[in-house]
Amino acid sequence: MLVSVKKVILSSLLSLLVFGLVACSGESETGSDGGSKSEDGKVKLTLWETWTDDTPDTRLLKERVEEFNSSQEEIVIELRGTAHNEYRTKLKTQAAGGELPELFLVWPGAELEPLVEGGVVEPINDVREKYEGELIQATTLDDYAIDGKQYAIPASVSYTSIIYYNKELLAQAGYDKIPDTYKGFKEMIEALKAEGITPILAGNKPKWPLQSVYISTIADRFTGSDYLDKVLNGDEKFTNPKFIESLAVISELKEMGAFNEDINTIDEVEARDDLLKGEGALFLSGSWSTTAILGALPEGMEIGAASFPSVEGGEGNPEVISGISSIGIAINSKLSDDEKAAAKKFLEYFYDEKLYSGLLANGTLVPADVPLPEDASPLFTDVYNITKGGVAPVYDGVLPAELTTIINNGLQGIVTGSITPKELAQQMQDELDNQ
Amino acid sequence: MRLTKKAKRAIMIGLIPALVIYIGFAIIPIVVSFYYSFMEWNGFSEMTFIGLDNYKQLFKDHLFWNSLKNNIYVLIASVGGQISIALAIALLLNRKLKAVKFFRTIGFMPVVLSSVVVSLTWSLIYNVDDGLLNVVLRSIGLENWTMNWLGDENLAMLSVSVTIIWQFIGLYMIIFLAALQNVPKEILEAADIDGASEWTKTWKIIIPTIKNTIFAALVLAISGSLKTFDQIYVMTSGGPNHATEVAAMYMYTKTFESLQFGYGSAISVLIFLFSLAIIIIANKLMGQKAI
Amino acid sequence: MRIKKVTSKRFFIYLILSLFAIANAYPIVWMVLNSLKTADEFALDRIGLPEGFAFQNYIDAWNTANFGSFFVNSLIVSLVSVVITVFLGALAAYFLSRFQFRMSKFIYGFFVFGLLVPVHATLVPMFILMSKLGLLNTHFSLILPYVAFNMPISIFLLVSFMKSFPKDIEESAIMDGAGILKIFWSIILPMTRPAIATVVILSFINNWNEFVFALVLINDPALATLPLGLQNFAGQYETNYVGQMAGLTMALVPILIVYLFLEKELVKGMTAGAVKG
């Protein structure tokens, strides 16, 4: 009996194990997730988005979808929201299981590449033609293009590098605006310090701010906007002294005592709150901070906006600011022709002037050429104007994920002093050579 | 107990449902994940078999070893800090005291708290400028002791460990409290009559009786500390510059950010083997035959 | 003299416990206080007391996190999983701890393995498995993994608890001709109450807070659980912290109820069981 108990248990468990392993070792063959005609003959398409928090922008985006649904009879778009921070984990897991929804939000550049390589997203060059040169510049549309194929249309552009400054504190140090040169900028830092004011507030706990907000634009000042592409093609190197110089700006500012001491332990929002509390003079952030600053601005405080100054011997155009498109919706390549046509019809409806003017009115910068509303606040008008000088690439939008991880962590290390700019540049080049 | 035929059948029927669910939904997925560790796969394209390449690369990956070192930090803190403090508190709470229920309840609260709240509140305590810890140190004249608790690469792991100790004391506290109910009152009463001190009773009677549970707590602390993820993820995101990155976090980054599913799986295999080794060693050291 | 010594010792014990209580209460008090601040107040002061009572946060949180339906889903999934885990776990633990048969050590060790499984490594295989079984978008897609992942700790704690019972407990029952399951039900289970209470509390907390499986296995909002909703306060660049604190405060209530309900069981000695009866 003892033997038989053992046998029964063992064999049943073993067969369960084998069955299970066979069952889930391969990819699932099923196509998209529930994309089908619903019983009333409508084409039902599910759209995965990240519009879960309640803001004017997310409300507007959802409204546009509603409007589309009521504008015609044949197509229904169903929204499925996942919080932004978790969205990618969900998308990647379900993609690995071979089950993506019909429509899903994608981010440009390095994030889009594996989806294109895996053939899971549908090119939409015919949709692009309707926008190119009309509503949106070709160069902006290119953010969502890989090898001449367009995969999504952007709804907004995030300019990642804007200096927000407290006018009163700057005036205390004898300045009425941010100097035009980096040399003058450093003098201003010293002047602020002499007044006992923390010069720059930064929150780099999430690791991306120093890279996305600072280096993307600062490095561009030193190296010019085509440098990054050249490095990735092998025509340039991260060990180029110009790039090292740009990393050294962070260590230099740190050594000068320009930053708040808790830079590596607070996040971007906390740093911005500190600006609003008057705890420091400057806060570098993206265009997304404008609305939040205006929303919580204490009475009597005035905030101005400027771009990063030019640097001596820099090869970049000091007018440009790093920026990247977002809120692009991709179409699942496994859809039927009918579904694809329906999806494209939706995209063309969704991305229209009404969406762009609506977002702009909310204080979000858009890729389309639509006029600034007349009642726009002075701060937003400033931001709008300084972003007209051209766009530089954002590092984490272009770099492969591995390199983004290295530079993000390395910049934290430069702040704590555990790594030098030169070492970081070398690490990045080594990683690139390994690939 | 001697077993009859009937008893054996009952055992079989009793064990199989638990085993089936456990194998089906915990073991199979992890075995499949082990299988991925021999693959190169980004989740979007086809997988390719690359043999042991992921492991070879992993052995040279100093960031992985760094993350494992941080796990050991957490492990020492958990085993040393959590279990001893929890046992002490449980022993105190096992007495006839006023408000014992209140202390028990409040002692358990950190366990149920969202890691978001833990992260937000402890970050406020550790902040270098206006954090409670530094403010207190300054106010009692220990200016020199003020530190950038989470921002200093050499201190961050210590600070994070303290938070982890704090959060899970309550877990072991209730496990010990439950076990303490098993200590026979007659023996304690007999010891009282013999005039044994509290100290003697604790060490000679109570601790030996709940030895099994202490060992169980030890195993939980070991396995828990090697799987640590949430608390550190929200508190420091592994920074500054990898200083608080733990293995599970490194695995998560590799899998879902770098899209190296195979490499990520190889990391989890090593985490698994490593914790197994430590538990076996602990088993030997404790002279247990439990596992 | 002796009385004085006892009092000072008592005082010392209360002092330690009070410090411990303050350290543990602070985050909860902080959470509740900040859930009553307005967003602007929170931005300017994260530490101080709220100026008024912004109860609106609770209404917003209820809507943003979709409490209306997610709360019920969480309750269903958590409770069903706990019942299955505890019942199957206790039964298995009984056999593994009170009987000696050849596979018992192996099976016990096999269950303990489960303690070491890093959850994030199983996400992709779990998703594919559920998809093949056709269980995606059902409550089962969460209940089954929750039972499976709570089984190790449950069996582990229960076995270590049951092992410490004196060997002769069942003997007399067997003499009386009681069956194995009868002994389990009327003798072992009542004696194990403190450990079962522990296991129920722990697995309920795990299930109630579980996030990653819910994230990848549930697409249908009608089946989503509360932790998914509680993420909704965070956007790409902004987080509605006051709303989040209000949501987390509300989400804590069921756990507190379960804990307070079972707390007295934790400290019921074995005399409370049926052993002596």
Side-chain angles (χ1 to χ4, degrees):
Chain A
M1 189 59 200
L2 198 66
V3 176
S4 75
V5 172
K6 191 174 167 183
K7 260 189 187 160
V8 172
I9 296 186
L10 263 188
S11 54
S12 55
L13 295 181
L14 214 70
S15 47
L16 177 72
L17 193 67
V18 170
F19 165 78
L21 290 181
V22 171
C24 58
S25 55
E27 271 186 49
S28 160
E29 304 87 31
T30 43
S32 54
D33 172 42
S36 58
K37 300 227 171 185
S38 54
E39 32 325 330
D40 47 4
K42 289 185 177 183
V43 178
K44 206 181 86 188
L45 301 173
T46 304
L47 163 61
W48 278 13
E49 33 80 6
T50 60
W51 312 325
T52 58
D53 53 331
D54 189 30
T55 67
D57 277 3
T58 57
R59 279 197 292 271
L60 175 67
L61 291 162
K62 288 192 236 179
E63 243 166 57
R64 285 299 292 158
V65 175
E66 283 308 309
E67 282 168 21
F68 174 76
N69 283 344
S70 46
S71 75
Q72 43 69 58
E73 301 284 297
E74 295 83 35
I75 311 164
V76 187
I77 305 292
E78 260 190 39
L79 293 178
R80 288 281 181 277
T82 305
H84 180 270
N85 295 339
E86 321 296 340
Y87 176 83
R88 289 166 169 88
T89 304
K90 185 178 173 79
L91 187 83
K92 287 166 183 172
T93 306
Q94 302 219 346
E99 298 198 27
L100 284 170
E102 291 84 44
L103 297 165
F104 45 94
L105 276 194
V106 286
W107 282 264
E111 291 219 40
L112 184 60
E113 251 165 55
L115 282 81
V116 172
E117 268 172 42
V120 299
V121 286
E122 178 74 10
I124 50 164
N125 287 25
D126 45 344
V127 179
R128 174 184 168 125
E129 278 166 23
K130 303 218 163 88
Y131 291 88
E132 188 172 340
E134 297 286 322
L135 206 50
I136 307 177
Q137 299 292 317
T139 48
T140 311
L141 283 166
D142 284 347
D143 272 0
Y144 272 115
I146 290 180
D147 296 334
K149 284 183 181 157
Q150 190 74 21
Y151 292 96
I153 306 295
S156 77
V157 180
S158 299
Y159 286 87
T160 64
S161 185
I162 289 165
I163 302 178
Y164 296 92
Y165 59 94
N166 182 325
K167 290 186 178 169
E168 194 192 328
L169 292 182
L170 224 59
Q172 266 184 46
Y175 286 81
D176 60 351
K177 65 184 189 58
I178 302 291
D180 293 334
T181 64
Y182 178 53
K183 195 161 166 268
F185 184 80
K186 284 191 287 187
E187 285 162 12
M188 178 192 68
I189 302 275
E190 293 297 355
L192 283 164
K193 275 180 61 191
E195 290 292 312
I197 300 165
T198 305
I200 307 178
L201 296 165
N204 196 41
K205 178 174 114 176
K207 300 180 192 170
W208 56 263
L210 279 185
Q211 165 264 121
S212 176
V213 175
Y214 285 74
I215 289 301
S216 294
T217 293
I218 294 174
D220 194 85
R221 297 276 184 274
F222 281 95
T223 64
S225 294
D226 50 359
Y227 166 75
L228 208 46
D229 273 341
K230 281 192 193 157
V231 174
L232 295 177
N233 290 335
D235 300 333
E236 258 290 1
K237 285 195 181 304
F238 280 122
T239 45
N240 182 324
K242 290 278 173 208
F243 178 68
I244 297 177
E245 258 185 277
S246 68
L247 295 175
V249 168
I250 302 295
S251 54
E252 188 175 22
L253 290 175
K254 167 69 190 171
E255 274 156 30
M256 287 173 74
F259 294 118
N260 47 314
E261 226 187 317
D262 52 2
I263 171 169
N264 270 340
T265 62
I266 63 172
D267 63 24
E268 234 226 339
V269 174
E270 289 174 274
R272 192 181 65 216
D273 289 346
D274 287 345
L275 175 80
L276 294 171
K277 285 185 235 174
E279 288 183 2
L282 273 59
F283 167 60
L284 276 72
S285 177
S287 50
W288 56 82
S289 277
T290 314
T291 314
I293 288 174
L294 288 171
L297 200 62
E299 279 225 323
M301 184 182 280
E302 271 191 84
I303 302 287
S307 66
F308 198 84
S310 66
V311 299
E312 211 174 318
E315 288 164 16
N317 171 3
E319 305 266 286
V320 303
I321 294 181
S322 52
I324 192 159
S325 305
S326 64
I327 325 187
I329 298 173
I331 301 177
N332 188 331
S333 60
K334 285 183 190 161
L335 299 191
S336 71
D337 287 346
D338 279 359
E339 288 171 331
K340 281 177 190 166
K344 287 176 184 173
K345 193 172 167 190
F346 164 67
L347 293 187
E348 285 166 19
Y349 181 96
F350 183 75
Y351 294 103
D352 76 340
E353 239 179 283
K354 196 173 163 194
L355 177 73
Y356 294 120
S357 350
L359 288 171
L360 198 61
N362 290 342
T364 300
L365 295 171
V366 294
D369 253 331
V370 286
L372 191 69
E374 277 170 21
D375 59 351
S377 68
L379 179 63
F380 185 54
T381 311
D382 280 358
V383 171
Y384 181 84
N385 289 331
I386 59 177
T387 55
K388 287 294 154 201
V391 189
V394 178
Y395 270 58
D396 59 8
V398 180
L399 294 180
E402 285 299 300
L403 276 166
T404 301
T405 307
I406 292 178
I407 186 171
N408 281 0
N409 282 292
L411 286 167
Q412 281 192 333
I414 286 180
V415 170
T416 60
S418 63
I419 184 171
T420 65
K422 206 174 163 191
E423 285 164 354
L424 175 56
Q426 188 63 50
Q427 271 186 19
M428 292 173 72
Q429 187 58 39
D430 289 348
E431 172 63 30
L432 193 65
D433 293 341
N434 273 337
Q435 282 183 345
Chain B
M1 197 190 281
R2 283 157 285 106
L3 291 176
T4 60
K5 258 187 187 180
K6 227 175 114 191
K8 281 171 195 153
R9 197 172 316 132
I11 291 175
M12 196 174 76
I13 294 169
L15 283 174
I16 279 192
L19 273 172
V20 166
I21 296 183
Y22 172 66
I23 291 180
F25 299 96
I27 297 299
I28 287 179
I30 197 68
V31 173
V32 173
S33 172
F34 290 0
Y35 162 79
Y36 292 159
S37 70
F38 304 106
M39 302 287 158
E40 183 172 346
W41 189 31
N42 74 2
F44 293 102
S45 309
E46 289 293 302
M47 287 185 209
T48 41
F49 179 80
I50 53 165
L52 291 173
D53 283 7
N54 282 328
Y55 291 95
K56 284 180 197 154
Q57 201 189 332
L58 196 49
F59 275 99
K60 288 184 294 189
D61 186 344
H62 71 275
L63 286 178
F64 167 70
W65 295 108
N66 168 63
S67 69
L68 208 54
K69 185 198 80 199
N70 287 334
N71 272 112
I72 298 191
Y73 226 114
V74 179
L75 189 139
I76 293 169
S78 305
V79 171
Q82 278 165 358
I83 293 189
S84 54
I85 298 175
L87 187 59
I89 303 262
L91 287 169
L92 288 183
L93 288 178
N94 200 38
R95 300 155 154 263
K96 287 201 168 48
L97 288 175
K98 278 193 186 125
V100 87
K101 192 177 149 96
F102 165 77
F103 287 121
R104 241 175 8 226
T105 307
I106 208 85
F108 189 65
M109 285 303 104
V111 183
V112 304
L113 219 48
S114 151
S115 36
V116 177
V117 177
V118 173
S119 160
L120 284 170
T121 49
W122 279 84
S123 299
L124 289 177
I125 293 177
Y126 284 138
N127 189 287
V128 57
D129 290 327
D130 50 9
L132 187 65
L133 187 53
N134 280 353
V135 169
V136 168
L137 287 173
R138 270 183 218 121
S139 71
I140 55 174
L142 293 171
E143 188 75 33
N144 295 343
W145 290 23
T146 61
M147 298 284 168
N148 194 349
W149 299 103
L150 288 172
D152 184 328
E153 288 186 31
N154 299 317
L155 277 176
M157 206 55 224
L158 179 74
S159 310
V160 166
S161 300
V162 168
T163 305
I164 293 175
I165 293 179
W166 168 84
Q167 194 176 9
F168 293 107
I169 286 176
L171 170 72
Y172 300 104
M173 181 193 81
I174 68 159
I175 291 175
F176 289 139
L177 273 174
L180 287 174
Q181 309 317 311
N182 251 353
V183 180
K185 297 229 166 29
E186 301 79 7
I187 303 183
L188 290 178
E189 278 157 18
D192 273 341
I193 294 166
D194 292 349
S197 70
E198 299 259 352
W199 196 250
T200 324
K201 275 192 292 179
T202 305
W203 283 103
K204 298 276 155 126
I205 303 171
I206 299 178
I207 305 251
T209 318
I210 62 166
K211 203 177 105 201
N212 272 332
T213 305
I214 294 177
F215 181 70
L218 198 69
V219 172
L220 286 184
I222 293 171
S223 64
S225 52
L226 282 150
K227 290 192 294 181
T228 308
F229 185 97
D230 281 6
Q231 292 74 25
I232 301 186
Y233 192 76
V234 284
M235 211 149 110
T236 64
S237 309
N241 193 15
H242 301 289
T244 56
E245 190 165 66
V246 285
M249 218 148 81
Y250 189 57
M251 180 242 130
Y252 183 81
T253 314
K254 282 285 170 191
T255 307
F256 291 103
E257 279 173 29
S258 308
L259 284 176
Q260 297 175 300
F261 282 88
Y263 197 65
S265 292
I267 297 174
S268 50
V269 172
L270 284 202
I271 300 177
F272 182 87
L273 292 179
F274 193 74
S275 25
L276 192 62
I278 294 183
I279 288 179
I280 290 172
I281 293 170
N283 202 21
K284 287 263 171 352
L285 287 181
M286 296 276 293
Q288 287 274 330
K289 294 174 207 86
I291 302 168
Chain C
M1 192 63 194
R2 182 171 168 87
I3 292 170
K4 201 176 171 190
K5 195 179 163 197
V6 169
T7 343
S8 70
K9 192 172 138 201
R10 288 239 143 180
F11 173 78
F12 190 62
I13 290 175
Y14 279 116
L15 185 71
I16 291 176
L17 289 177
S18 304
L19 289 175
F20 176 66
I22 291 169
N24 286 336
Y26 154 72
I28 292 203
V29 173
W30 185 88
M31 173 179 79
V32 175
L33 288 179
N34 282 282
S35 75
L36 295 167
K37 288 180 184 170
T38 63
D40 289 354
E41 247 182 290
F42 182 83
L44 297 178
D45 182 11
R46 290 186 173 203
I47 299 171
L49 296 172
E51 284 162 19
F53 296 97
F55 287 118
Q56 185 61 33
N57 291 340
Y58 282 82
I59 298 166
D60 293 346
W62 185 275
N63 295 327
T64 304
N66 218 333
F67 263 82
S69 68
F70 291 8
F71 191 85
V72 177
N73 289 333
S74 269
L75 267 187
I76 295 172
V77 170
S78 304
L79 288 176
V80 171
S81 310
V82 167
V83 169
I84 300 177
T85 310
V86 170
F87 183 74
L88 296 183
L91 198 59
Y94 166 56
F95 293 127
L96 292 173
S97 61
R98 306 302 296 176
F99 297 87
Q100 274 154 11
F101 54 104
R102 270 169 62 190
M103 299 242 299
S104 71
K105 271 183 191 159
F106 172 76
I107 293 179
Y108 176 59
F110 184 59
F111 272 120
V112 176
F113 265 5
L115 288 174
L116 312 178
V117 171
V119 175
H120 292 95
T122 65
L123 289 185
V124 171
M126 188 72 84
F127 177 77
I128 296 174
L129 182 68
M130 290 298 173
S131 159
K132 296 270 168 146
L133 293 174
L135 290 175
L136 281 180
N137 291 317
T138 64
H139 282 316
F140 286 109
S141 68
L142 294 184
I143 292 172
L144 291 167
Y146 289 2
V147 171
F149 275 84
N150 281 309
M151 198 62 87
I153 188 169
S154 306
I155 289 184
F156 190 58
L157 287 177
L158 292 172
V159 165
S160 72
F161 198 82
M162 289 178 183
K163 266 193 178 161
S164 61
F165 299 157
K167 286 255 186 303
D168 51 7
I169 279 186
E170 297 107 324
E171 299 281 318
S172 57
I174 293 210
M175 300 275 198
D176 297 346
I180 282 183
L181 288 176
K182 178 104 197 298
I183 297 172
F184 169 66
W185 193 253
S186 52
I187 299 177
I188 300 293
L189 215 48
M191 283 177 69
T192 318
R193 276 166 89 159
I196 290 200
T198 315
V199 167
V200 170
I201 292 169
L202 292 186
S203 45
F204 185 80
I205 294 171
N206 286 343
N207 298 340
W208 187 258
N209 291 334
E210 201 287 327
F211 175 71
V212 280
F213 282 137
L215 173 71
V216 301
L217 299 174
I218 296 289
N219 288 337
D220 185 350
L223 298 169
T225 52
L226 210 47
L228 294 175
L230 290 170
Q231 293 290 324
N232 288 348
F233 298 99
Q236 183 169 7
Y237 301 112
E238 302 299 325
T239 298
N240 173 5
Y241 280 114
V242 289
Q244 193 175 34
M245 291 311 123
L248 289 171
T249 304
M250 288 190 280
L252 200 57
V253 173
I255 300 188
L256 282 186
I257 292 175
V258 168
Y259 178 78
L260 289 175
F261 190 70
L262 289 169
E263 201 249 4
K264 56 182 181 296
E265 300 292 336
L266 280 180
V267 288
K268 259 189 195 158
M270 19 193 302
T271 43
V275 195
K276 298 284 164 80

